[in-house]
Amino acid sequence: MSGLKEVPAKTKYLQDEIDRYFVQITPILNQLHGLNGSKRFWRILLGSHVASCLKRNGIISWKVSLITGGVGNNFSSLGYILFYLRENKNQIKKNTFYRSINEILLNDDIIIGNRAHLMVDDIKGIIAENRFPAWFLMKKEGVKRKEVNRIAATIDDPVLKSIVHSFPEIYIEYFSSIRKSFQIINPKEKTFHCEQGVGQYWHFIIAFYVEEGAQLFYYQPGGWMGDVAHNNGYLGQRDVADKFVTYGWKLHDKEEPGRAYRLLEFKRNFEKLGKLKKTKLKSILVVLTDFGSQGKVYYEASLRNLISEINPSYFDQLKIRYRAKSRLLRKSRKKDINIQQSKKIIVDSGFEPMYRAVA
C-alpha cells in the first residue's frame, strides 16, 4: 500500500472485530447448509446482520454499511411467501423488467443499482432491476431454525450467541429455496457492477457467483460513503469487492478513482428544473437526517462548504432543516443547526410542507 494513507485505529479495530466473528460463524453456516462457503461468501450475505449485532451489543458505535439487502432481513414466517418487487420505470428499460433472471445471467457484465441507467453509459453491460422484478414462491424448510437455536445454546460468548440466535429467516429456512431459483452460468467470465440499492435476492446470486470466480465491483454511492476520508460507511462494500470505484481518490489497494454517479444524477435533475441560465429557483431546501453528534459535525462542515461554493444568483433562499421524526411529535430543531444565517440562508423550523423538486 505504498503511498496510501495509514488506516485509522478505529477502522482497523472494526475490520478486525467483524472478521473475528465471521471466522466463527462461517463453519456454523456451512454445516447448517452443507456448503463450503468462504468468509467472503457469508459476509456478502450476512455482513449487515453481524454489524447490527455488534452495534446492539456495544462492540461498535459508528455507522456501518455492509453490502446489505434493500428489502429488510426478515421475511414472513408463513410456509410460503409471495415476494413481489415492482418495476421502476425511471431506472429500468421496459424489456429488461420482464426478462427471467437466468436470461440476465447470460450476460458477462451485469449492472445493479439506483443509478444503473447512468452507469450503462460507461459500462457496456445489461441493467438488472435492483430487486428481482418477478413473482416467485419461496418454500420454508421448517427444521433449520431449531438446529440454529440448539447451536446458539452451546455458545458462551454472549455476542456470538446473539449473532447466531438471530440469524434472519431468509438465510436459514428459505436459503435452499432461493438457491434453486437461479443457475450458475459462466461465473469466471462475469462481473457484477453494483451501486446503491442492491436487493437481497441479488446478494444471494452475487455471493454464489463470486464464490465460483466472478468479479464484484462496487461503486461509491455517495452520502456518508464518500465525503470523508476513511469513513467507515463503505468498509463492508469495499472489503467484499474485488474493486471499489470511488468519487476520485485512492486510499486503499482496492480503490480506483471513478465517476460520481449520484452527483451526476443530481446535476441532470437540477438542470431539468427550468434552464438555469434563464430561470432562477425560488428556494433550495436542504433536509438533514439526525445521525447524532457525529452527524451534526459532518453536516455543519458540509453546509459551510455548500454555502461558500454555491452561486447565490441561482436562488432566492437556501432553507435548511432537520427531517421530522414524526408528524405528531415533531419539534423545532432550529437551534441545533449552527450556521450563520442571512436573508438568503435560513434555518427552517421544519413545520412547513416539503415539496421535492430535485433528487
Side-chain angles (χ1 to χ4, degrees):
M1 290 176 54
S2 176
L4 303 184
K5 296 181 180 180
E6 183 180 354
V7 177
K10 75 171 184 178
T11 300
K12 182 67 167 60
Y13 169 75
L14 181 133
Q15 290 171 312
D16 290 346
E17 283 299 295
I18 290 173
D19 186 71
R20 180 167 72 88
Y21 281 102
F22 269 101
V23 167
Q24 298 175 80
I25 68 172
T26 293
I28 295 173
L29 288 161
N30 282 335
Q31 180 181 352
L32 187 69
H33 294 296
L35 296 175
N36 189 30
S38 64
K39 282 190 302 179
R40 184 189 186 194
F41 173 86
W42 290 111
R43 186 165 177 179
I44 290 173
L45 292 173
L46 281 157
S48 176
H49 171 68
V50 172
S52 175
C53 289
L54 294 181
K55 184 174 182 179
R56 189 164 59 243
N57 286 278
I59 306 297
I60 57 175
S61 59
W62 48 88
K63 182 179 171 67
V64 185
S65 176
L66 294 143
I67 193 164
T68 178
V71 292
N73 280 334
N74 287 295
F75 281 71
S76 166
S77 60
L78 296 173
Y80 288 86
I81 317 173
L82 197 58
F83 178 30
Y84 175 69
L85 290 159
R86 64 181 177 78
E87 175 183 7
N88 187 330
K89 294 181 179 179
N90 294 328
Q91 297 178 11
I92 309 302
K93 296 178 180 178
K94 289 182 180 179
N95 62 343
T96 301
F97 181 81
Y98 296 103
R99 289 177 183 159
S100 75
I101 191 66
N102 291 316
E103 284 184 78
I104 294 174
L105 290 171
L106 289 171
N107 296 269
D108 290 340
D109 288 276
I110 299 172
I111 309 168
I112 315 164
N114 293 341
R115 280 157 280 275
H117 59 296
L118 298 177
M119 296 165 66
V120 76
D121 293 338
D122 303 320
I123 305 161
K124 302 309 175 186
I126 186 172
I127 296 176
E129 214 280 336
N130 299 9
R131 304 168 179 89
F132 183 53
W135 297 86
F136 76 98
L137 280 170
M138 295 191 294
K139 185 175 182 179
K140 182 176 181 178
E141 292 187 52
V143 295
K144 289 185 175 177
R145 176 58 68 184
K146 290 181 180 179
E147 177 63 11
V148 168
N149 292 341
R150 185 194 66 77
I151 294 170
T154 67
I155 298 172
D156 294 327
D157 180 344
V159 178
L160 180 60
K161 182 191 288 285
S162 171
I163 292 171
V164 174
H165 190 269
S166 59
F167 280 152
E169 200 80 341
I170 187 174
Y171 305 113
I172 304 302
E173 298 289 10
Y174 298 101
F175 188 91
S176 296
S177 180
I178 295 173
R179 172 60 192 91
K180 292 174 184 176
S181 67
F182 60 88
Q183 299 172 9
I184 302 294
I185 306 169
N186 300 326
K188 293 183 179 179
E189 299 176 12
K190 212 166 303 297
T191 302
F192 293 92
H193 304 267
C194 300
E195 203 243 5
Q196 185 181 32
V198 180
Q200 280 179 299
Y201 187 79
W202 274 109
H203 284 136
F204 268 90
I205 294 170
I206 290 167
F208 277 97
Y209 266 85
V210 166
E211 199 75 353
E212 296 292 332
Q215 294 279 295
L216 173 57
F217 294 174
Y218 230 96
Y219 293 74
Q220 185 79 58
W224 277 89
M225 303 181 194
D227 301 322
V228 184
H230 295 303
N231 186 286
N232 297 310
Y234 64 87
L235 278 181
Q237 294 175 353
R238 189 191 69 191
D239 289 351
V240 298
D242 294 287
K243 181 170 70 175
F244 188 85
V245 182
T246 73
Y247 277 10
W249 58 83
K250 182 177 177 66
L251 301 174
H252 187 275
D253 284 336
K254 285 187 178 182
E255 294 181 347
E256 178 180 297
R259 298 185 74 184
Y261 290 107
R262 188 170 192 156
L263 300 182
L264 178 60
E265 180 182 50
F266 182 88
K267 179 177 181 291
R268 291 185 179 182
N269 289 341
F270 193 64
E271 289 172 345
K272 288 178 183 178
L273 285 177
K275 300 177 182 178
L276 290 179
K277 291 184 179 179
K278 297 180 180 179
T279 305
K280 183 167 67 174
L281 298 175
K282 184 176 180 181
S283 63
I284 295 176
L285 179 64
V286 178
V287 183
L288 314 178
T289 301
D290 190 354
F291 283 134
S293 59
Q294 184 186 8
K296 179 177 170 61
V297 172
Y298 168 79
Y299 281 140
E300 289 181 356
S302 299
L303 285 168
R304 290 190 184 96
N305 184 63
L306 171 66
I307 291 168
S308 66
E309 296 292 332
I310 196 168
N311 187 336
S313 66
Y314 282 167
F315 59 92
D316 286 337
Q317 288 184 334
L318 175 64
K319 295 183 177 181
I320 305 163
R321 67 164 66 168
Y322 268 105
R323 188 185 307 276
K325 293 182 179 180
S326 166
R327 291 185 178 182
L328 297 176
L329 302 176
R330 61 186 179 179
K331 63 178 182 178
S332 176
R333 300 287 302 279
K334 293 179 69 171
K335 294 181 180 179
D336 294 341
I337 302 174
N338 185 23
I339 292 293
Q340 182 67 41
Q341 298 188 55
S342 65
K343 290 184 178 181
K344 285 226 165 195
I345 311 298
I346 298 172
V347 175
D348 186 74
S349 67
F351 294 156
E352 296 80 9
M354 263 192 323
Y355 298 97
R356 180 181 175 186
V358 252

